[in-house]
Amino acid sequence: MKIKGKYSESEKLHFIILGAAAVLSVAVFVIVLLVLGKGGGSNPAGTPAQTTAASTSAAAVTEPEETGYSPDEELKEEMRDAVIKLISDNYTVLRLYYVKGMNHKDEPYGNIPEDGYYTVSNKNYDALEQIEEIVDRTFTKEFAKTVKSDPLGYGPIYITRSNGTLGIIANFTPMPYNRSWNNPDFEIEPESDTECGIKIFIHEKDEAETPVTIEGHMTKTEDGWRLISIIY
């Protein structure tokens, strides 16, 4: 155990003796080097000795460990609350725009609609603004624009038809999807005050209900936390 304080007189004497012995050892070492080095013009043993000393010195230097970002508890709670809401809205958008769509009314006489869109038949949604509001509160402006204009590569899924009704594209082809979001769990992986990774734990729709981990990312915008893309 080390005790901090002044040294005793006996300790001072001990240090003086050790110091004298060290000086004598250095003097003898220098004389030996001079004798070995005569006639050589250089000290061949000097280079590796210096290199070893430098290497040892460098090895003794350790870089400070990088510390990961850790938000305070208040920000953690804010992130968790945001994820709960975003997961729910992400799933709604996933169903509406990607993997399910909505039922529609047939055109008179079974005709193909001239504008390429059927009128939606859904008790929850009857206006384009209703579903686009969900998109806007869930994703960044850049990705929300993609969802609303061309999520599957063949144009907007929904429009307001000329008669004022909500229309769904006639050739809507759902993306193949076989995963269940019943009771999903999640983890947050904060990266900064404005960036956060998300892991969501769902399962396949099979007999074994095979667990699946999917990942996403949210960023804090002037309008609040938003996902940067659809999570599926």
Side-chain angles (χ1 to χ4, degrees):
M1 181 174 63
K2 296 181 180 179
I3 301 175
K4 293 183 179 180
K6 294 183 179 179
Y7 293 110
S8 67
E9 293 300 324
S10 60
E11 286 175 324
K12 288 183 179 179
L13 179 61
H14 179 64
F15 291 151
I16 291 171
I17 294 172
L18 289 178
V23 171
L24 181 60
S25 298
V26 171
V28 173
F29 180 68
V30 171
I31 293 171
V32 172
L33 287 179
L34 289 174
V35 172
L36 292 176
K38 283 183 178 181
S42 63
N43 183 2
T47 301
Q50 292 171 2
T51 302
T52 302
S55 301
T56 304
S57 177
V61 178
T62 57
E63 294 295 330
E65 292 184 4
E66 294 186 5
T67 56
Y69 169 78
S70 180
D72 58 35
E73 287 303 317
E74 183 178 354
L75 184 54
K76 280 184 181 179
E77 285 303 312
E78 178 185 317
M79 290 175 170
R80 292 189 188 102
D81 291 343
V83 171
I84 291 171
K85 180 62 176 174
L86 291 173
I87 286 177
S88 176
D89 286 341
N90 175 86
Y91 181 61
T92 298
V93 173
L94 180 64
R95 285 170 57 84
L96 290 177
Y97 283 84
Y98 293 87
V99 302
K100 188 172 180 62
M102 287 192 277
N103 295 330
H104 62 78
K105 300 176 182 178
D106 290 334
E107 291 290 283
Y109 309 109
N111 292 333
I112 300 297
E114 293 182 3
D115 62 358
Y117 289 80
Y118 289 107
T119 294
V120 166
S121 174
N122 187 285
K123 65 180 181 180
N124 296 318
Y125 307 105
D126 58 12
L128 183 62
E129 292 77 10
Q130 289 177 293
I131 56 177
E132 290 193 341
E133 191 274 331
I134 302 173
V135 176
D136 290 334
R137 75 188 185 205
T138 306
F139 302 100
T140 59
K141 291 180 179 179
E142 294 78 9
F143 192 75
K145 182 178 179 181
T146 297
V147 173
K148 292 183 287 187
S149 63
D150 193 17
L152 294 173
Y154 46 83
I157 303 302
Y158 301 99
I159 65 167
T160 299
R161 302 189 71 190
S162 59
N163 61 5
T165 62
L166 174 62
I168 182 171
I169 197 166
N171 64 336
F172 177 71
T173 306
M175 181 179 74
Y177 197 72
N178 194 43
R179 291 175 174 175
S180 172
W181 284 63
N182 287 335
N183 301 317
D185 200 358
F186 70 92
E187 290 179 357
I188 58 171
E189 297 181 334
E191 298 170 7
S192 72
D193 288 354
T194 59
E195 302 293 329
C196 183
I198 307 167
K199 284 185 177 180
I200 304 174
F201 307 102
I202 57 176
H203 60 269
E204 298 285 359
K205 291 181 180 178
D206 55 21
E207 291 184 4
E209 294 189 344
T210 306
V212 178
T213 301
I214 53 179
E215 298 185 10
H217 191 95
M218 68 178 183
T219 185
K220 192 170 187 178
T221 71
E222 58 185 7
D223 299 316
W225 290 95
R226 297 290 187 270
L227 297 176
I228 64 171
S229 64
I230 191 78
I231 305 175
Y232 62 92

